[in-house]
Amino acid sequence: MSYQDKVLTCADCGTQFVFSANEQAFYAERGFTNEPKRCGPCRQNRKASRGGGSSYSSGGYGGNGGDAYSSGGGGYSSGGGGGGGGYGGQRELHSVTCSSCGGEAKVPFVPRGDRPVYCSDCFSQQRGGGGGGGYSRSGRY
């Protein structure tokens, strides 16, 4: 298919920018059906304000104040989160009661009820003390 350059208007700053034939071919090759809505500089600014270009943070969820985590298989890591997720905004936090101390905790997931949920302090005690039994990283049980 033959593509021709198109002039589009940026949704953020209102300036006109060129959606080149090469860019259109790239979009079509990747299966993208929508044209870009932002000019290059506005795309870069938006990407930077979201914490990078990745949709996933590189260290699990970081320990952010009152956040809490679920114990058990996989769960969430309390070590060094890599910024916010790439889904375009603040994550929704849910209030729960800590299974250990009974205090209020805010968690970034909807608790299912089949696993205990801990506040940040109790979670780090559970993880740090090797509590909970089961699998350890050394491969021993």
Side-chain angles (χ1 to χ4, degrees), residues 32-95:
F32 301 145
T33 56
N34 297 327
E35 295 177 341
K37 294 183 180 181
R38 293 174 181 83
C39 63
C42 287
R43 276 186 279 181
Q44 292 296 331
N45 289 340
R46 185 172 166 88
K47 196 182 281 190
S49 71
R50 289 190 324 218
S54 174
S55 294
Y56 302 99
S57 63
S58 61
Y61 287 98
N64 294 338
D67 288 354
Y69 311 90
S70 173
S71 71
Y76 292 90
S77 167
S78 63
Y87 293 108
Q90 296 289 330
R91 64 182 180 208
E92 184 179 351
L93 297 176
H94 304 274
S95 292

